Amino acid sequence: MTFDALGSVIADKTLSVLSYAFGISPTYALRFLGNLSANGDFLALMAGTTINGRAVKYSFDGTYTDVLAVPEPATLAMRLQGLGLMGFMASRRNRQTTI
């Protein structure tokens, strides 16, 4: 979803996005036009926002403030392990080809 404006945020309210499919939109679940990373209303909204029950993170891409669910620790650990394994295999392959 893309929003072109952010109105008033009401205290003690939350926003929940359910059934978000990461594969359909891997770089954001929600996006807002402009840089809202210092906007108090936006920050209040993000503090009460969840995507599939997880907290959110946001970043400004130069045009939009993109919002995405924070990765689960297990998912993040698996990605880091995969990168480490790929680096190990690449360095091993380089060693074998230079001998």
Side-chain angles (χ1 to χ4, degrees), residues 37-60:
S37 59
N39 179 298
D41 289 340
F42 175 77
L43 297 175
L45 178 63
M46 292 301 102
T49 298
T50 59
I51 298 174
N52 291 348
R54 299 190 328 225
V56 299
K57 63 180 184 175
Y58 52 88
S59 63
F60 180 60

Side-chain angles (χ1 to χ4, degrees), residues 1 16-31 50-56 66-70:
M1 290 189 290
S16 298
V17 177
L18 305 173
S19 300
Y20 166 67
F22 180 79
I24 294 172
S25 178
T27 58
Y28 67 89
L30 303 168
R31 63 184 352 188
T50 59
I51 298 174
N52 291 348
R54 299 190 328 225
V56 299
D66 297 330
V67 180
L68 186 62
V70 173

Side-chain angles (χ1 to χ4, degrees):
M1 290 189 290
T2 303
F3 299 93
D4 65 358
L6 179 63
S8 298
V9 177
I10 300 169
D12 300 323
K13 297 296 179 184
T14 62
L15 171 64
S16 298
V17 177
L18 305 173
S19 300
Y20 166 67
F22 180 79
I24 294 172
S25 178
T27 58
Y28 67 89
L30 303 168
R31 63 184 352 188
F32 296 86
L33 184 60
N35 184 0
L36 299 177
S37 59
N39 179 298
D41 289 340
F42 175 77
L43 297 175
L45 178 63
M46 292 301 102
T49 298
T50 59
I51 298 174
N52 291 348
R54 299 190 328 225
V56 299
K57 63 180 184 175
Y58 52 88
S59 63
F60 180 60
D61 69 6
T63 303
Y64 296 99
T65 301
D66 297 330
V67 180
L68 186 62
V70 173
E72 293 178 350
T75 304
L76 182 58
M78 285 177 38
R79 287 181 185 168
L80 293 175
Q81 286 175 347
L83 289 174
L85 180 60
M86 287 174 29
F88 173 75
M89 296 301 289
S91 68
R92 195 171 154 87
R93 185 176 341 131
N94 287 341
R95 242 185 285 153
Q96 289 175 351
T97 58
T98 58
I99 295 177

